[in-house]
Amino acid sequence: MTSVFDATGKNVACTIVLAGPCTVTQVKTEETDGYTATQLAFGQRNEKNVTKPMAGHFAKAGITSATEIVEFREFPLVDKVLGDTVTADEVFEAGDKVNVIGTSKGKGFQGVVKRHNFRGVNDATHGQHNRLRSPGSIGAASYPAKVFKGMRMGGQDGNRRVKTMNLEIVRVFPEKNLVLVKGALPGPKGSTVIIQK
Amino acid sequence: MDAVKYVQEQYARENTLPEFRAGDNIIVAYKIVEGDKFRIQEYRGDVLQIKGHGATKTFTVRKISNGIGVERIFPFSSPNIDSIKVLRHGKVRRARLFYLRELVGKKARIREKSKY
C-alpha cells in the first residue's frame, strides 16, 4: 500500500494492483455452455509445471502458461474473442466502483475473542481465574440437549475468500497495467485478487 | 515493490522544501481550505522526528501552545504545505526527540548549533 494526495489535497490510502495483461482463454456462449462468460488468464509459470490438458487449453489462446484463470459473467468488453489481450485501462477508469475478492490472511486456530469478537470474561477477580477469554455458555442443558449448528466457537480464522465491496479506483496506469484502489484489500502482499466492476 | 516505487514516482513533486533535521526550529506555512477559498496558517515548533521515505515520508513538529504541548505530523509530499522556513538548527544527539515530551520549561529548550 501507499498513499497519494487527491485533487482536493486529501491524503488517500491506496493499494496498488497489477491488473493485466490478461488473455481471453475461452468465451462461453448461450448455445455451447448455457450461459455467457469470458474466461481470462493471467501470469506466467514454468512450462514444466503446466499440465497437458491446461497446455492444450492455453495453446488455443496462443499462450503457454498462466497462474490464474478466472471466469467473468457479464464481461463488459463483449467484442473480445479467444486469444485477445485485455489490459487494465480497457476495463477500469478512475472513479469506478469495484468489488475485490481475495483470500484473507490466515490467522490459524483462534479463540472466540479474536475470531468472533467475543468479549471474554471481563473480570479477573470475583471468582474468575482461568477463563479470561472463554466463550461462556454454548446453550441450555437437557432441552435442547445439543449444541445448535453454527454456534460460534474457536477454530480456523482467516485464509478464506473475502470480498471487499464498493472500493473506488483512484487511478489507472495504462503503461504498467497498474490500478490504484482506494483502501485496503483482503490478503497478504503479493497475493492474487479478483477485481469485479 | 517496484510497483510501489513506480506509483510514488508518478505522484512525486519537485522538492522545494528546505533541508532540516530533528531539533530544528521551523515555521510551516500550511494551507487551510475553507470552502473554495484557502488561507495560510503558520505553525512554529521544533522538529521531533523525520519518519518514512518516498511518498509517505513525514515530519513531526512540536510546540507549546498556551502551556499545552501540541504535536503535528506533516507529510513531505502534502500539496497543502505552502512553504517551510528554518529558523535555527538545534544541537541534538539523537534523531528522535521524544524525551522532550517529558520536559517542561527551561529544560525543554534545544541549544543552537554553532556550525551547520
Side-chain angles (χ1 to χ4, degrees):
Chain A
M1 289 186 76
T2 184
S3 64
V4 299
F5 285 91
D6 66 7
T8 58
K10 264 191 182 159
N11 201 352
V12 184
C14 296
T15 311
I16 304 163
V17 185
L18 178 64
C22 296
T23 311
V24 178
T25 46
Q26 196 177 2
V27 179
K28 297 196 173 177
T29 59
E30 200 73 48
E31 300 88 66
T32 54
D33 306 280
Y35 64 100
T36 53
T38 302
Q39 191 188 73
L40 296 183
F42 173 77
Q44 271 187 327
R45 69 162 38 144
N46 198 331
E47 269 176 54
K48 81 176 170 63
N49 295 329
V50 181
T51 61
K52 285 219 170 128
M54 287 317 293
H57 185 65
F58 291 141
K60 282 185 205 162
I63 56 174
T64 53
S65 67
T67 51
E68 316 294 333
I69 301 173
V70 181
E71 194 173 288
F72 292 92
R73 290 210 181 186
E74 294 167 18
F75 193 65
L77 307 171
V78 280
D79 52 342
K80 290 281 178 189
V81 296
L82 184 68
D84 279 0
T85 308
V86 180
T87 54
D89 58 318
E90 289 177 300
V91 185
F92 304 112
E93 61 176 293
D96 285 353
K97 295 284 185 183
V98 293
N99 298 336
V100 180
I101 302 168
T103 305
S104 64
K105 279 185 183 175
K107 310 284 182 200
F109 192 108
Q110 293 296 335
V112 289
V113 173
K114 190 182 185 82
R115 191 168 182 234
H116 298 299
N117 301 324
F118 282 19
R119 287 180 187 157
V121 177
N122 282 329
D123 283 330
T125 59
H126 295 298
Q128 318 293 338
H129 69 94
N130 58 358
R131 50 187 81 108
L132 207 58
R133 296 172 70 90
S134 70
S137 168
I138 55 170
S142 56
Y143 182 80
K146 62 177 180 180
V147 175
F148 290 119
K149 279 191 175 172
M151 180 61 59
R152 292 172 298 167
M153 296 186 179
Q156 166 69 34
D157 191 17
N159 192 23
R160 66 189 173 86
R161 191 180 163 100
V162 173
K163 185 191 271 187
T164 309
M165 299 177 90
N166 217 21
L167 298 171
E168 192 184 321
I169 303 265
V170 176
R171 192 168 156 182
V172 180
F173 298 93
E175 62 279 10
K176 294 249 178 190
N177 271 312
L178 295 175
V179 173
L180 215 52
V181 185
K182 185 175 174 180
L185 305 186
K189 283 176 198 166
S191 63
T192 309
V193 293
I194 302 168
I195 309 179
Q196 291 176 332
K197 202 167 166 183
Chain B
M1 280 312 282
D2 278 339
V4 176
K5 223 175 184 178
Y6 176 80
V7 169
Q8 293 190 350
E9 275 168 13
Q10 298 301 305
Y11 279 93
R13 309 184 302 146
E14 199 187 340
N15 187 14
T16 52
L17 305 177
E19 202 178 308
F20 57 88
R21 290 188 207 172
D24 293 357
N25 195 272
I26 63 172
I27 292 178
V28 183
Y30 200 74
K31 287 182 205 159
I32 310 268
V33 181
E34 290 168 331
D36 50 356
K37 286 191 287 186
F38 72 89
R39 64 190 168 83
I40 286 174
Q41 194 180 63
E42 291 194 338
Y43 183 93
R44 179 183 173 167
D46 296 324
V47 180
L48 276 202
Q49 68 166 340
I50 294 172
K51 188 181 179 184
H53 45 81
T56 52
K57 190 176 179 183
T58 61
F59 60 96
T60 307
V61 183
R62 179 182 171 88
K63 76 165 178 180
I64 306 294
S65 176
N66 298 327
I68 295 167
V70 177
E71 282 177 26
R72 206 164 156 186
I73 301 168
F74 297 96
F76 272 96
S77 53
S78 170
N80 289 331
I81 295 179
D82 186 62
S83 66
I84 291 177
K85 206 161 142 195
V86 182
L87 299 179
R88 42 184 271 163
H89 296 290
K91 185 177 180 183
V92 290
R93 300 176 77 155
R94 51 207 80 222
R96 315 228 151 152
L97 309 177
F98 300 140
Y99 66 87
L100 287 178
R101 291 171 180 164
E102 313 293 326
L103 305 177
V104 286
K106 284 187 167 182
K107 283 205 161 149
R109 285 175 304 179
I110 299 171
R111 275 203 295 153
E112 188 165 3
K113 224 176 204 178
S114 52
K115 273 187 288 183
Y116 189 75

